[in-house]
Coordinates of all heavy atoms in Angstrom, one line a residue:
T17 N -0.4 5.4 5.9 CA 0.9 5.2 6.3 C 1.3 6.3 7.4 O 2.0 5.9 8.3 CB 1.9 5.3 5.1 OG1 1.6 4.3 4.2 CG2 3.3 5.3 5.5
G18 N 0.9 7.5 7.2 CA 1.2 8.5 8.2 C 0.5 8.3 9.5 O 1.1 8.7 10.6
Y19 N -0.6 7.5 9.5 CA -1.3 7.2 10.8 C -0.7 6.0 11.5 O -0.6 5.9 12.7 CB -2.8 7.0 10.5 CG -3.6 6.7 11.8 CD1 -4.0 7.7 12.6 CD2 -3.9 5.4 12.1 CE1 -4.7 7.4 13.8 CE2 -4.7 5.1 13.2 CZ -5.0 6.1 14.1 OH -5.8 5.8 15.2
T20 N -0.3 5.0 10.7 CA 0.1 3.7 11.2 C 1.7 3.5 11.2 O 2.2 2.6 11.8 CB -0.5 2.5 10.4 OG1 0.0 2.6 9.1 CG2 -2.0 2.6 10.5
F21 N 2.4 4.4 10.5 CA 3.8 4.2 10.3 C 4.1 2.9 9.7 O 5.1 2.2 10.1 CB 4.6 4.4 11.6 CG 4.4 5.7 12.3 CD1 4.6 5.9 13.6 CD2 4.1 6.8 11.5 CE1 4.5 7.2 14.2 CE2 4.0 8.1 12.1 CZ 4.2 8.3 13.4
A22 N 3.3 2.5 8.7 CA 3.5 1.2 8.1 C 3.0 1.3 6.6 O 2.2 2.2 6.3 CB 2.8 0.1 8.8
H23 N 3.4 0.4 5.8 CA 2.9 0.3 4.4 C 1.5 -0.3 4.5 O 1.2 -1.2 5.3 CB 3.8 -0.5 3.6 CG 5.2 0.1 3.4 ND1 5.4 1.3 2.9 CD2 6.4 -0.4 3.8 CE1 6.7 1.6 2.9 NE2 7.3 0.6 3.4
P24 N 0.6 0.1 3.6 CA -0.8 -0.5 3.6 C -0.9 -2.0 3.5 O -1.9 -2.6 4.0 CB -1.4 0.2 2.3 CG -0.7 1.5 2.2 CD 0.8 1.1 2.5
E25 N 0.1 -2.6 2.9 CA 0.1 -4.1 2.8 C 0.3 -4.7 4.2 O 0.0 -5.9 4.4 CB 1.3 -4.6 1.9 CG 1.0 -4.3 0.4 CD 1.4 -2.9 0.1 OE1 1.9 -2.1 0.9 OE2 1.1 -2.5 -1.1
Q26 N 0.7 -4.0 5.2 CA 0.9 -4.5 6.5 C -0.3 -4.3 7.5 O -0.3 -4.7 8.6 CB 2.2 -3.8 7.2 CG 3.4 -4.1 6.4 CD 4.6 -3.2 6.9 OE1 4.6 -2.0 6.6 NE2 5.5 -3.8 7.6
V27 N -1.3 -3.6 7.0 CA -2.4 -3.1 7.8 C -3.7 -3.8 7.4 O -3.9 -4.0 6.2 CB -2.5 -1.6 7.7 CG1 -3.6 -1.1 8.6 CG2 -1.2 -0.9 8.0
G28 N -4.6 -4.1 8.4 CA -5.9 -4.6 8.1 C -6.8 -3.6 7.5 O -6.7 -2.4 7.8
A29 N -7.8 -4.1 6.7 CA -8.8 -3.2 6.1 C -9.6 -2.3 7.0 O -9.9 -1.2 6.8 CB -9.7 -4.0 5.2
P30 N -10.0 -2.8 8.2 CA -10.8 -2.0 9.1 C -10.1 -0.7 9.5 O -10.7 0.4 9.6 CB -11.1 -2.9 10.3 CG -11.1 -4.3 9.7 CD -10.0 -4.2 8.7
I31 N -8.8 -0.8 9.8 CA -8.0 0.4 10.2 C -8.0 1.4 9.0 O -8.2 2.6 9.2 CB -6.6 0.0 10.6 CG1 -6.6 -0.9 11.8 CG2 -5.8 1.3 10.8 CD1 -5.2 -1.3 12.2
A32 N -7.9 0.9 7.8 CA -8.0 1.8 6.6 C -9.3 2.5 6.6 O -9.3 3.8 6.3 CB -7.7 1.0 5.3
M33 N -10.4 1.9 6.8 CA -11.7 2.5 6.8 C -11.8 3.6 7.8 O -12.2 4.7 7.5 CB -12.8 1.5 6.9 CG -12.9 0.5 5.8 SD -14.2 -0.7 6.1 CE -15.7 0.3 6.0
V34 N -11.5 3.2 9.1 CA -11.6 4.2 10.2 C -10.7 5.4 10.0 O -11.1 6.5 10.2 CB -11.4 3.5 11.5 CG1 -11.4 4.5 12.7 CG2 -12.4 2.4 11.8
T35 N -9.5 5.1 9.6 CA -8.5 6.2 9.4 C -9.0 7.1 8.3 O -8.9 8.4 8.4 CB -7.1 5.6 9.0 OG1 -6.7 4.7 10.1 CG2 -6.1 6.7 8.8
A36 N -9.4 6.6 7.1 CA -9.9 7.4 6.0 C -11.0 8.3 6.4 O -11.1 9.5 6.0 CB -10.2 6.5 4.8
W37 N -11.9 7.8 7.2 CA -13.1 8.5 7.6 C -12.8 9.6 8.6 O -13.1 10.8 8.4 CB -14.2 7.6 8.2 CG -15.4 8.3 8.6 CD1 -15.9 8.5 9.9 CD2 -16.4 8.9 7.8 NE1 -17.1 9.2 9.9 CE2 -17.4 9.4 8.6 CE3 -16.5 9.0 6.4 CZ2 -18.5 10.1 8.1 CZ3 -17.6 9.7 5.9 CH2 -18.6 10.2 6.7
H38 N -12.0 9.3 9.6 CA -11.8 10.3 10.7 C -10.7 11.3 10.4 O -10.5 12.3 11.1 CB -11.5 9.5 12.0 CG -12.7 8.9 12.6 ND1 -13.7 9.6 13.2 CD2 -13.1 7.6 12.6 CE1 -14.7 8.8 13.6 NE2 -14.3 7.6 13.3
T39 N -9.9 11.0 9.4 CA -8.8 11.9 9.0 C -9.0 12.7 7.8 O -8.2 13.4 7.2 CB -7.4 11.2 8.9 OG1 -7.5 10.2 7.8 CG2 -7.1 10.5 10.2
G40 N -10.3 12.6 7.2 CA -10.5 13.4 6.0 C -11.9 13.3 5.4 O -12.6 14.3 5.2
L41 N -12.4 12.1 5.2 CA -13.6 11.9 4.4 C -14.9 12.2 5.2 O -15.9 12.4 4.6 CB -13.7 10.5 3.8 CG -12.7 10.3 2.6 CD1 -12.9 8.9 2.1 CD2 -12.9 11.3 1.5
S42 N -14.8 12.3 6.5 CA -16.0 12.8 7.2 C -16.2 14.3 7.0 O -17.3 14.8 7.3 CB -15.8 12.5 8.7 OG -14.8 13.4 9.2
G43 N -15.2 15.0 6.5 CA -15.3 16.4 6.3 C -15.3 17.2 7.6 O -15.5 18.4 7.6
A44 N -14.9 16.6 8.7 CA -14.9 17.3 10.0 C -13.7 16.8 10.8 O -13.9 16.2 11.8 CB -16.2 17.0 10.7
V45 N -12.5 17.1 10.3 CA -11.3 16.8 11.0 C -11.1 17.9 12.1 O -10.6 19.0 11.8 CB -10.1 16.7 10.1 CG1 -8.9 16.3 10.8 CG2 -10.4 15.7 9.0
R46 N -11.4 17.5 13.3 CA -11.2 18.5 14.4 C -10.4 17.9 15.5 O -10.9 17.5 16.6 CB -12.6 19.0 14.9 CG -13.4 19.7 13.9 CD -14.6 20.3 14.5 NE -14.3 21.3 15.5 CZ -14.1 22.6 15.2 NH1 -14.2 23.0 14.0 NH2 -13.8 23.5 16.2
P47 N -9.1 17.7 15.3 CA -8.3 17.1 16.4 C -8.1 18.1 17.5 O -8.3 19.3 17.4 CB -6.9 16.9 15.7 CG -6.9 17.9 14.6 CD -8.3 18.0 14.1
S48 N -7.8 17.5 18.7 CA -7.6 18.4 19.9 C -6.4 17.9 20.6 O -5.9 16.7 20.4 CB -8.8 18.3 20.8 OG -9.1 17.0 21.2
I49 N -5.8 18.7 21.5 CA -4.6 18.4 22.2 C -4.8 18.9 23.6 O -5.3 20.0 23.9 CB -3.4 19.1 21.6 CG1 -3.2 18.6 20.2 CG2 -2.1 18.9 22.4 CD1 -2.1 19.4 19.4
P50 N -4.5 18.1 24.6 CA -4.6 18.5 26.0 C -3.7 19.7 26.3 O -2.6 19.8 25.7 CB -4.2 17.3 26.8 CG -4.4 16.1 25.9 CD -4.1 16.6 24.6
E51 N -4.1 20.6 27.1 CA -3.2 21.7 27.5 C -1.9 21.1 28.1 O -1.9 20.3 29.0 CB -3.8 22.6 28.5 CG -5.0 23.4 28.0 CD -4.6 24.5 27.1 OE1 -3.4 24.8 27.0 OE2 -5.4 25.1 26.4
G52 N -0.7 21.5 27.5 CA 0.5 20.9 28.0 C 0.9 19.6 27.2 O 1.9 19.0 27.6
G53 N 0.1 19.2 26.2 CA 0.4 18.0 25.5 C -0.2 16.8 26.1 O -0.7 16.8 27.2
L54 N -0.1 15.7 25.4 CA -0.6 14.4 25.9 C 0.2 13.9 27.1 O -0.3 13.2 27.9 CB -0.5 13.3 24.8 CG -1.7 13.3 23.8 CD1 -1.4 12.3 22.7 CD2 -3.0 12.9 24.5
S55 N 1.4 14.4 27.3 CA 2.2 14.1 28.5 C 1.5 14.6 29.7 O 1.6 14.0 30.8 CB 3.6 14.6 28.4 OG 3.6 16.0 28.1

């Protein structure tokens, strides 16, 4: 829900898998931000 801004009933299963992996279960959550932000 925090990634999609929606309830899980509104989202397809593939998004759930990718989100779960890349935001925690891979064990390597290393987000990055451009200098000055995405803007």
